Amino acid sequence: MKLQRFALALAGVGILAATAAAGPATAAVRSNPTPAIANPAKGDLKTTPNTKLASGGCLQDVGFNTPTPGMSDVLVTPAKPPRGEFFGEFKFVGTRLNTTWYGVQTDAHFYYHSLFVQGGTLYRGVTYFDTDNARPTYARIGSGWTSFTQLVTSNYAITAPNRSYLYGLSTNGSLYRYAASGATFRALGHFAGFKGFKAMTVVAENPSYDTLLMTTKAGALWTVRIPAAASTKPILKLVRSTGFAAYESLAARGCGDKGGSLVTGFDNDTDSAYQYATSKFNGSATVVTSYGRVTGGTIPGTGIFPITGHWNQLVGE
C-alpha cells in the first residue's frame, strides 16, 4: 500500500504505514524541525481541531507496536461501530512504551519523531518516509526508565515559548514530569497520589497547562490538569467512575470546533480497540459517547499511541 503523504498529518491524521522497510540505521535527531509547507507565522497552519464534529466523521490515526518487531497503524472513522482501516506494518526495534508520533514535512524530508522505551532505556526515534519504504533511525537518551508503566508527551509548538514535556507514570505511585532540553530531558519533579492509575494520554496542551486523561485500575476516568508552573499541584476531575478498567493504553485527538475529542482505548487481553467521542472535558459534566469496538482487524501489540502533526495542538479541556 502506498504511503499517504503529509497532507493528512497537517490535519492531525498522519499515516505511518508502508509495505516494506529498510533496515534500521542510527542517525542524529533534529529536535526543532521547520515546516516547509505550512508556516504558523503566516497563519496557514490550523491551530484548532478539525471543524467537523466527531459524529460527522473526524478521523483518528492510532499507531501500535507489533511482535515482529514492527510498527503499524489503524485509521479509525467514528461510527457505530467505528470503522478501522488497518495498514501494513514496517520493521522497527522492539518497544515497551511509545509516545505520540509527530509528523514533520521539511524541504528535504518527511518524517515522524517520537520517544520509546526498550527495556529500561529511553530512545528518540525519527522515521523517514521519503520513499515507499520507511527508514527508522534511533538515538539513545538514557537508562533509568524501568519503573515506568506509561509515557506520554505534550508538544506546544504554535507560539513562543515553545515547550515539550514528557510525563511518566511510575510503579511507585508518582507521576513524573520532564522538559525537553537539547538531546535529553530535565527532571521537573513529581506528583504523588497516582498509585491506582493505569493508562493515560494527553487531551490538552497550551502555554498555561497540560491536561492528561487517565484511567484507574478500578475503571474510573479522570482528567489531570498540570499547570506549567513547577510548584503548582495537578487538578483532578472525575469524568466517569466506572467502565474503563480494561484499557492498557489510550490515544486521543481533537475533533470538532468546540474542543471535543476522539479517545481510543486498547484492551491487550483481546487485542482490540474501543473508540469514544467526548465533549470538551469538564469533569462529570463531560458528554461521553461510546462507539464500540473498532472493526476491520485486531491489534497484536501491547499498546497504542496517537499519530498527529508536529504543529497540531490539543484543546480538549
Side-chain angles (χ1 to χ4, degrees), residues 6 15 28-29 35 54 61 71 81 90 151 166 220 240 242 261 282 284:
F6 189 68
I15 304 303
V29 176
D61 199 15
M71 288 290 176
F90 58 89
L151 285 182
L166 171 64
R240 294 292 186 271
T242 60
S261 299
N282 183 26
S284 60

Side-chain angles (χ1 to χ4, degrees), residues 131-183:
T131 68
D132 285 340
N133 293 331
R135 183 169 61 89
T137 69
Y138 317 104
R140 185 180 185 275
I141 294 175
S143 58
W145 300 85
T146 303
S147 70
F148 290 97
T149 60
Q150 295 279 306
L151 285 182
V152 298
T153 48
S154 69
N155 178 57
Y156 186 75
I158 297 298
T159 60
N162 300 160
R163 61 173 176 80
S164 178
Y165 286 161
L166 171 64
Y167 295 94
L169 183 63
S170 173
T171 53
N172 67 12
S174 292
L175 181 66
Y176 289 77
R177 177 167 61 175
Y178 303 83
S181 179

